[in-house]
Amino acid sequence: MTDDEVGALLAYARKVQTATINPDGTPHLVTMFFGLAEGRIAFWTYRSSQKARNLARDPRLTCLVEDGEDYFELRGVQVTGVVTRIEDLPGVTAVGRLIAARMPDVPRDALDAYVTHAARKRVAYLVQPARTASWDHRKLLS
């Protein structure tokens, strides 16, 4: 995929599969909602979650955003990198708002109240990409 196509998929998608590294070296893989901050994947989680503990110990991760149901529709972006941790309430709230803005089916006032309430118990992250890989099976038929 071109850089523009990668950017368009990241702007379109709402969920990211995030893999962090457990203390025993195995992957910890979860699906989360995410936002974009200046083109970078941004997400938040509870401070005591396994992924937060893993990232505190080792900031490396891999993120996968994918789309499509049939083989010739599959496309995806894999971002490998490190995270920057955001702990201050305004920063965490800002990331929460980025994520909430991508949920069009939920009333704005309900989302704003949720983000304000939830941010107090969360930490946020920005992914600094080291390597990006992408694919688009829709192009296989061209």
Side-chain angles (χ1 to χ4, degrees):
M1 296 172 68
T2 66
D3 288 345
D4 287 343
E5 291 169 331
V6 166
L9 179 56
L10 293 178
Y12 161 78
R14 296 187 310 164
K15 294 184 287 184
V16 61
Q17 296 170 14
T18 304
T20 60
I21 304 167
N22 284 318
D24 67 359
T26 59
H28 175 72
L29 181 64
V30 296
T31 301
M32 311 178 61
F33 288 106
F34 77 101
L36 287 178
E38 299 179 8
R40 293 168 57 191
I41 294 171
F43 63 94
W44 67 350
T45 188
Y46 289 105
R47 291 179 185 275
S48 61
S49 70
Q50 184 63 53
K51 73 186 118 343
R53 292 194 309 268
N54 288 348
L55 291 169
R57 188 185 65 264
D58 185 338
R60 296 177 298 162
L61 82 167
T62 298
C63 298
L64 173 65
V65 175
E66 56 89 20
D67 185 45
E69 297 298 322
D70 296 320
Y71 183 79
F72 289 109
E73 295 174 350
L74 295 178
R75 61 187 178 141
V77 175
Q78 178 181 287
V79 177
T80 302
V82 296
V83 293
T84 300
R85 184 176 170 116
I86 301 168
E87 296 187 69
D88 64 283
L89 186 57
V92 173
T93 303
V95 169
R97 287 189 177 125
L98 290 173
I99 297 164
R102 297 165 77 109
M103 298 180 187
D105 299 335
V106 182
R108 286 283 71 126
D109 57 340
L111 279 174
D112 288 341
Y114 170 74
V115 167
T116 300
H117 174 76
R120 294 177 287 135
K121 298 178 182 179
R122 293 184 177 239
V123 62
Y125 299 92
L126 288 177
V127 177
Q128 179 59 48
R131 190 180 79 214
T132 300
S134 65
W135 59 94
D136 187 345
H137 285 193
R138 297 173 309 170
K139 295 180 178 184
L140 295 176
L141 296 175
S142 301

